[in-house]
Amino acid sequence: MKKELNEINILIDLLAKLPGLGPVSSRRVVLHLLKTGNRSRLNDIATAMIRASENVQTCVDCGNYCSAHKCSICLSPQRSSSEICIVQDVSDLWAVERAGAYQGRYHILGGVLSMLDHIGPDELRIPELLKRVRRDATQEVILALGATVDGQTTAHYIAEQLTGQNVRVTTLGQGVPMGGELEILDGGTITAAMRSRREY
Ligand SMILES: [Zn+2]
């Protein structure tokens, strides 16, 4: 390996580890950014990455990404604090927000229970959820975890933990396909599923 290519190879190797990019796409991206006319974009990306790394935090209540202690959804007086929609990841929150059919708050678990991957309740933000429901006297918890086996196992576990508490537990209704993850669904499907939610 030529010494002058070290910088390029380090960049290619780092990008190749990202989801959706392998070595071929990574090389293509790096060569594109190194072209003379594209150097300012390379600088912009580097600056944006540093700013994101330094400033993006996790909301103490819901687990959403934000640039402060709490996210804009948790701070908004327009959002109902009596409903909490439980989602697997931030990408699912974004999907529900894009659909625009929900005016409550969220709780991001950071994954789902998985025997195979040794992910138990304490690896997820489930203890925080249970504390939050008690603290805020939440009236409805909406389980929006997708119809995968692990998603449904997680929904069942959370519903069990909430049994006996004065909270209504619901799940998304029609239109969520088997094995479907929320983030790949279109807004209309999410809206229909949210509106037709039913008792768990
Ligand atoms: Zn939040």
Side-chain angles (χ1 to χ4, degrees), residues 59-64 66 70-75 106 132:
C59 173
V60 286
D61 271 356
C62 74
N64 190 11
C66 55
K70 286 192 184 188
C71 74
S72 58
I73 294 174
C74 286
L75 287 172
Y106 294 89
R132 196 175 162 199

Side-chain angles (χ1 to χ4, degrees), residues 17-44:
K17 293 190 177 84
L18 298 178
L21 287 178
V24 176
S25 302
S26 174
R27 278 195 291 273
R28 195 176 296 152
V29 167
V30 169
L31 286 174
H32 172 79
L33 290 171
L34 287 175
K35 280 185 186 163
T36 314
N38 295 334
R39 285 295 175 97
S40 66
R41 183 177 291 172
L42 181 61
N43 281 327
D44 289 347

Side-chain angles (χ1 to χ4, degrees), residues 12 91 117 132 139 172 175 178:
I12 290 171
S91 58
D117 298 326
R132 196 175 162 199
Q139 289 168 25
L172 292 184
M178 286 306 292

Side-chain angles (χ1 to χ4, degrees), residues 71-109:
C71 74
S72 58
I73 294 174
C74 286
L75 287 172
S76 169
Q78 265 84 49
R79 311 287 302 224
S80 164
S81 60
S82 61
E83 294 167 359
I84 298 180
C85 179
I86 315 294
V87 291
Q88 180 174 334
D89 286 309
V90 174
S91 58
D92 300 313
L93 180 155
W94 288 348
V96 177
E97 284 297 290
R98 277 199 302 274
Y102 176 67
Q103 286 305 312
R105 297 192 179 161
Y106 294 89
H107 193 86
I108 293 152
L109 295 179

